[in-house]
Amino acid sequence: VEGQPMFEFVTTYSTKEAAKLLGFRSPSTLRDLAANHRIPGAFKHRQSWRIPCDYVEKCLKEEASRTEGKNAVGRKRGVTIKT
C-alpha cells in the first residue's frame, strides 16, 4: 500500500538486557517464561529470545506504582512477572 511502511519494526531487548532492567539475577528466568509463552510478544530470533520493550516498560511502571510512597532506598528492584 502506497505511503505505508513495508515492515513495522518492534523494538526489543535481549533477555540479558531485560533481566538487568527488571532486576532479575539471571536472564534464564525470562528465557523460560518466553519459551512457555508467558511473555506477550516475545519471540525467538535465531537462537536468542527477544523481549518487547513495551512489555518491560509495562512491568517497570507496575512496579513503580506498587512501590509509590514507600521508602525503597537500598532495596533491590525485583519486578513481579504476572503469568
Side-chain angles (χ1 to χ4, degrees):
V1 177
E2 190 173 315
Q4 293 183 354
M6 290 180 62
F7 299 100
E8 184 175 323
F9 291 96
V10 178
T11 306
T12 61
Y13 291 114
S14 68
T15 52
K16 184 176 181 178
E17 293 165 330
K20 185 174 181 177
L21 288 168
L22 296 173
F24 286 95
R25 291 182 185 177
S26 169
S28 64
T29 302
L30 290 175
R31 281 195 300 269
D32 292 344
L33 290 169
N36 288 303
H37 310 286
R38 302 271 177 126
I39 299 179
F43 63 93
K44 205 164 190 182
H45 177 69
R46 298 187 182 164
Q47 293 184 356
S48 300
W49 282 99
R50 303 300 299 177
I51 310 300
C53 292
D54 292 346
Y55 180 78
V56 173
E57 290 169 11
K58 178 184 168 195
C59 291
L60 292 173
K61 285 179 186 176
E62 287 176 1
E63 177 65 13
S65 69
R66 276 196 299 276
T67 59
E68 193 172 290
K70 295 180 183 177
N71 183 3
V73 175
R75 181 177 166 267
K76 173 100 171 108
R77 177 181 24 183
V79 176
T80 304
I81 303 290
K82 292 182 181 180
T83 57

